[in-house]
Structures are given as C-alpha cells and as structure tokens.
Amino acid sequence: MPTVYLKGGETVQVSLENLEDYLYENSDRIEPRRKKLRRPPVDNSARASISNK
C-alpha cells in the first residue's frame, strides 16, 4: 500500500484502488517529498581520471 505524507507529520496508507480519489480530495493537506537517490552522483574529476587511463 502506498504511503501518503500529510502536513503536520502524519502518514496515511491508502489502497491502490482508492489512491486517486484520496489524492484528489486531500491535495491541500499532502506534503510533497522527493525520494533520495541511492547512489551519490559521479564527480566530474572522477570521470576525467578514469578516461585518462
């Protein structure tokens, strides 16, 4: 079940069947979040040293 993060720190789990309706009805209460990348971005200096070998 997807988790929806609400303003004020509350979390709610909503079934996939009801997710679209829940998001539409509660759009003013939802806190937007971004998922963090699992791997840090590659540094340009690291790329240069690899390509010079």
Side-chain angles (χ1 to χ4, degrees):
M1 290 178 70
T3 301
V4 178
Y5 296 94
L6 302 176
K7 294 177 182 174
E10 185 180 352
T11 59
V12 178
Q13 290 192 340
V14 183
S15 67
L16 285 175
E17 295 83 20
N18 299 326
L19 183 60
E20 182 180 6
D21 293 332
Y22 185 84
L23 294 176
Y24 181 76
E25 293 169 1
N26 297 291
S27 61
D28 57 332
R29 298 179 52 212
I30 296 173
E31 177 182 311
R33 292 195 175 184
R34 295 191 182 261
K35 190 173 183 177
K36 293 183 180 180
L37 296 175
R38 294 181 184 212
R39 168 177 74 108
V42 176
D43 186 14
N44 286 337
S45 61
R47 287 185 192 168
S49 66
I50 292 171
S51 63
N52 290 339
K53 291 183 177 180

